[in-house]
Structures are given as structure tokens and as C-alpha cells.
Amino acid sequence: MRYIIVLSLIFLSLVAKPDGLALIEDDQNRLFIFDKGNFNQVEHNKVLQKHIGSDFVAYIDYMNDLKVYYNGKLTEVAESINSFVASEDLIAWKISNYLYVWQDGITKQISRDVRMMKTKGEILFFEDDFDNALKIYYKHKVYLFAQNHYSLQTKALDIGRESLAVLDGDDQLFVFSKGDMHVQKFTQQRILFSAGGDGILVKNFDTGALEFISGEDIQTLEYFPPTWFKTRFNWQVWIDQSGNFNYWDGTGKELLTYQKPRLIEYSPESLLYENGNQLYAMHNGTETYVCDYIPEVYQFYNNYFVFYNRQRQVELVDNGHSKVISTMPEVSFDLYFDVIVLREGRKRRVYYNGKIYTL
């Protein structure tokens, strides 16, 4: 148990923490930034695109300028762009096929001619036509994934928060995990894999085993072929041949339920799942009861579960403790990490850190 607690603390220190931020539009299309209880109007006209990250917010204003709010300061980082792609950690955009990225307050040009780009977490994967290569941007560095990418013949691609896997035409699995590259060769043509926080889950048809690949390290989680599996963030979960729902906590296999849940949701610190038509969350090795039914409308992140209760009110379950945060029926809501934005008619209210703030 002592080792599980240590691993959990290490994991939590690596995950980007929510920072009490949100973007809110009122009924006149004015844009406000919510920052830990304070509202600041930043635009008078409707914005073209907006995004809320773990510790920043970004938007394209009506003049097509990209602006980022970070560490209490709003900065224009690009002019005349039509759109951007973003994750909870970074933003990327193109100007005349030049690729730019913003992360942690730093803007960089990382390609002179890019065609395709995808991002999740701290990874940006892109095709660099100028160098005829597949590349990865990760924590302010660019890694060469494969040269002469036209011969790569990519069969499948999956991106996790800090890992990525590509299966090529020769059934080689290229695995990138936290800056380390590894190539695994399989003899079978059919390979199933899933990318997560710090590695890749692979159903190895050569052996029938479920394996976790992280750099050069390969661990066997299940010796018999699973019927279903997935990794998201640092959660490794699967259904074994007996129909049991299992997860790997970094030290060993743990049984969660004796059947496949109808609902499974992932966030960095919590795993939400159904058991007997009731909802539970796994957090730091402890199972917490969430709700006695599966709501039609809900949102989930870490310890927050927000949903319409049976009275159609907005209810929040926080670490197993429930409270109604809006008594008006069917109020529209959005959960942004640790901030809940409520739209009650013309009013905008925000729930943050146990308090309600009204715009």
C-alpha cells in the first residue's frame, strides 16, 4: 500500500492541474474571462473560436487574431488566422502552412510546411512536408518520428496524453512515450493498441497477452487475450475472458466489477464506471459511490460529477458529497476542469471552489 501511495503522489505531481479559469459569453455575445472568482470583460463582439485549457484560455476574436490568457495576462500571439487545434496543454495553428505552437507562455515555429496535425495532452503529431517526415512536438522539443513518411504506409494511429503509437505497413509498432522511441515488431498482421498517459496497451496476437509498452519496458498485464481494453491518461483497463472489468494500478491487477460496465469515463485522477446500474469512481485506489442511476445528461472531470438529477436540477457530486448548485430545471451547464458555468436564462453563474459567482 505504501508503494501505491508514493506512485499516486508522483502521478499527481506530473498532471497539469486545473487553474480556476473559464471563458463566458453573455446573451449580447460579450466575452468574459473568469479567473478564480473574478470576471474580466475582454471582447465586445462574438469570438470565432474559443478554448479552455488547464491553466490558460484562448480565443480568436472577430478580427481573426489569436489571443491567450495565461498567468493573469492577455496576449495576442498571432494575427489573421482562421482556426487552431488545442488540448488541455497547448495550442497549434498554421499561417501559410508554417506551423506554430504555444505552450506555457512560449510561442514557437516548428515547421515550414505542415499538412496534417493532431494533438492530445502534451503531444502534437504532424506531417512535415518540408522534411518529408512525421514529427512529434512534446514539452517544447521536436522529435523525428519517421523519415520519408510516404513509405511508412500508416495503418493505424492513436495519441494519448504523453504517448503515441503508429502501426506501419510492415506491422511495426512505433511507440513514443515521454520522449523515448521504441519500435516493436509483430509477426501477426492484426494488432490492436491504445495510447494513454505514459505508454501503450497492446493486444499481442503472437502470444495472446495484453502488454503495456513504455519505451523499452514491456509488462504483461493479462496472459490470456482480453475481449476489450483501453488506456486513457494513466488508466489501463480491460475486460478479461470471464467478463470481469479490471484495471492496472502500476503494481498489479485489480478487479473493479464482475461485468463490463455500460459506462466508462476517464480523467487524470479518477475513473468513472457503472456497476449494477449505479455509478462509482476510482481515485487513488479508493472506490467512491457517485449516483444510484446513470443520468441522461452529465459531465465528469476528476472529483467533479455534474448532472441533471431526477428533478432536472443541476447537481454536483464532489468526492462523494452531493449538492444542488442550480434549482432551476434544465439549466444549461459546462464543466471546465474545476469550474462549472451555469446559464440560467440571461444570467451567467459560475461554481468554483465551493462558491457561486454571478456575472
Side-chain angles (χ1 to χ4, degrees):
M1 179 61 70
R2 177 173 62 88
Y3 297 107
I4 296 176
I5 293 173
V6 170
L7 286 171
S8 298
L9 291 175
I10 292 172
F11 165 63
L12 292 178
S13 69
L14 295 176
V15 174
K17 304 300 289 184
D19 209 25
L21 293 172
L23 286 173
I24 303 169
E25 286 183 307
D26 66 9
D27 60 346
Q28 300 179 45
N29 292 325
R30 297 177 299 182
L31 186 69
F32 295 80
I33 294 176
F34 175 86
D35 186 355
K36 301 182 185 68
N38 298 311
F39 294 94
N40 180 25
Q41 183 178 343
V42 291
E43 297 295 332
H44 296 273
N45 299 289
K46 187 174 181 61
V47 298
L48 305 179
Q49 183 181 352
K50 61 181 185 291
H51 175 77
I52 299 170
S54 60
D55 61 355
F56 70 93
V57 297
Y59 64 90
I60 299 176
D61 67 16
Y62 76 105
M63 296 289 288
N64 290 94
D65 297 330
L66 173 61
K67 297 177 180 178
V68 178
Y69 181 83
Y70 176 71
N71 275 349
K73 183 179 180 181
L74 184 65
T75 304
E76 181 182 299
V77 298
E79 297 180 350
S80 302
I81 72 168
N82 296 318
S83 64
F84 59 83
V85 298
S87 70
E88 62 268 37
D89 294 292
L90 59 84
I91 312 162
W93 65 95
K94 294 194 297 182
I95 299 178
S96 300
N97 271 1
Y98 281 64
L99 178 61
Y100 297 85
V101 64
W102 178 98
Q103 186 178 20
D104 301 327
I106 301 170
T107 302
K108 292 182 179 180
Q109 177 197 315
I110 58 174
S111 174
R112 297 173 61 180
D113 189 5
V114 66
R115 181 170 57 176
M116 180 273 289
M117 56 181 175
K118 294 183 179 180
T119 184
K120 185 179 292 184
E122 295 203 65
I123 286 184
L124 176 67
F125 178 75
F126 59 96
E127 291 184 359
D128 191 323
D129 278 0
F130 184 82
D131 291 333
N132 192 28
L134 301 180
K135 294 183 179 180
I136 295 171
Y137 172 87
Y138 173 72
K139 289 190 174 181
H140 306 287
K141 292 177 62 178
V142 175
Y143 297 82
L144 177 65
F145 197 75
Q147 197 75 34
N148 188 20
H149 71 266
Y150 295 113
S151 64
L152 186 62
Q153 298 177 2
T154 303
K155 285 185 176 180
L157 163 71
D158 195 28
I159 305 177
R161 176 177 167 75
E162 294 188 77
S163 66
L164 180 145
V166 171
L167 182 67
D168 74 358
D170 294 326
D171 297 317
Q172 294 183 107
L173 190 64
F174 291 80
V175 175
F176 177 90
S177 177
K178 294 184 176 180
D180 293 327
M181 187 76 72
H182 175 70
V183 180
Q184 181 74 19
K185 177 65 177 176
F186 296 90
T187 59
Q188 295 287 338
Q189 293 183 357
R190 191 165 163 233
I191 304 169
L192 300 178
F193 59 91
S194 176
D198 58 1
I200 310 296
L201 270 184
V202 176
K203 184 176 181 179
N204 188 339
F205 284 88
D206 291 343
T207 64
L210 179 66
E211 298 174 343
F212 182 67
I213 302 175
S214 181
E216 297 290 336
D217 185 32
I218 300 178
Q219 294 179 274
T220 299
L221 309 189
E222 185 78 32
Y223 287 96
F224 298 98
T227 60
W228 174 90
F229 66 93
K230 184 170 288 189
T231 176
R232 287 293 180 264
F233 299 102
N234 278 35
W235 297 100
Q236 279 69 239
V237 295
W238 69 94
I239 310 295
D240 62 26
Q241 290 189 338
S242 298
N244 301 322
F245 180 50
N246 306 277
Y247 88 105
W248 186 60
D249 65 1
T251 61
K253 169 183 173 181
E254 297 290 338
L255 173 68
L256 287 176
T257 74
Y258 290 103
Q259 61 183 1
K260 181 179 180 180
R262 290 189 294 137
L263 183 149
I264 308 170
E265 297 277 2
Y266 312 85
S267 72
E269 298 178 13
S270 293
L271 176 71
L272 180 75
Y273 55 94
E274 175 266 341
N275 185 8
N277 205 36
Q278 297 182 333
L279 291 182
Y280 295 86
M282 178 61 65
H283 175 73
N284 281 352
T286 301
E287 184 180 71
T288 302
Y289 170 78
V290 176
C291 186
D292 64 356
Y293 64 101
I294 301 178
E296 294 180 5
V297 178
Y298 69 89
Q299 295 183 34
F300 162 71
Y301 189 82
N302 285 349
N303 298 322
Y304 276 11
F305 181 78
V306 192
F307 66 105
Y308 287 155
N309 61 22
R310 289 189 170 95
Q311 289 73 42
R312 309 300 289 179
Q313 301 167 329
V314 180
E315 188 170 335
L316 166 67
V317 177
D318 179 7
N319 277 315
H321 302 286
S322 178
K323 66 168 68 176
V324 174
I325 59 175
S326 180
T327 58
M328 292 181 63
E330 299 196 14
V331 166
S332 178
F333 66 86
D334 281 300
L335 172 61
Y336 301 110
F337 303 101
D338 58 347
V339 175
I340 304 168
V341 177
L342 305 162
R343 290 175 290 277
E344 299 178 342
R346 292 188 174 184
K347 291 183 178 179
R348 301 294 185 270
R349 299 184 189 273
V350 174
Y351 179 91
Y352 170 67
N353 202 22
K355 296 181 180 180
I356 293 286
Y357 300 86
T358 302
L359 177 62

